[in-house]
Amino acid sequence: MRIAIASDHAAFDLKAELREYLIGLGHEVADLGPETADRVDYPDYGYKLAEIVAEGVAERGIALCGSGIGISIAVNRHPALRCALVSEPLSAALAREHNDANAIAMGARLTGPDMAKACIDAFLATEFVGGRHAGRVAKLSDPTF
């Protein structure tokens, strides 16, 4: 699977560890930055991740910042993105199963590497069930649906 990953400075180390984890699982990973742990603005990286996923360059996105909140808001500004802030595997799985999330966000100050990997595993392994959820998901991108 093609996966885009981006962070701010607070999640730089977690991003690096998760990138290597994903590569080890056989995924193609687009690391959208930053390239150093120097201070950056999370919206810049959230917007970049949203564009890459919306364009189909990556099938899924993983967004990281200190809390996960700010970058998830930035990613969700794009109408084609459904980014869920997750902190454990059940929420990551439900984000896919019920909401067809194409990105997840996590907070490096709140979620350790092992839990983040478990969230990623659940996110990537779970399919959208459709059915009664499909109309609701369509409304997320088009409120007139």
Side-chain angles (χ1 to χ4, degrees):
M1 186 178 295
R2 292 181 324 267
I3 301 166
I5 190 167
S7 73
D8 70 355
H9 56 281
F12 178 78
D13 291 336
L14 180 60
K15 177 180 63 86
E17 185 168 342
L18 296 178
R19 179 188 62 233
E20 295 308 312
Y21 177 70
L22 289 163
I23 291 168
L25 293 175
H27 298 289
E28 183 181 327
V29 179
D31 184 342
L32 305 178
E35 295 179 12
T36 71
D38 294 340
R39 186 195 165 286
V40 296
D41 295 330
Y42 59 80
D44 298 335
Y45 293 91
Y47 297 151
K48 192 183 298 190
L49 184 135
E51 279 300 315
I52 293 295
V53 175
E55 291 171 0
V57 175
E59 298 165 72
R60 304 266 175 87
I62 299 170
L64 307 164
C65 69
S67 68
I69 297 168
I71 202 163
S72 69
I73 292 170
V75 172
N76 280 319
R77 296 272 185 217
H78 196 295
L81 270 288
R82 294 171 304 280
C83 181
L85 175 60
V86 302
S87 59
E88 36 63 42
L90 179 57
S91 61
L94 290 172
R96 283 287 309 138
E97 189 175 311
H98 293 180
N99 307 113
D100 198 18
N102 48 11
I104 56 171
M106 293 180 281
R109 294 179 178 140
L110 306 173
T111 306
D114 290 338
M115 184 59 72
K117 291 172 186 174
C119 289
I120 288 170
D121 291 344
F123 175 64
L124 298 178
T126 305
E127 294 298 323
F128 177 51
V129 296
R132 65 188 166 96
H133 302 286
R136 296 171 185 149
V137 169
K139 286 182 179 183
L140 293 173
S141 296
D142 180 3
T144 64
F145 183 85

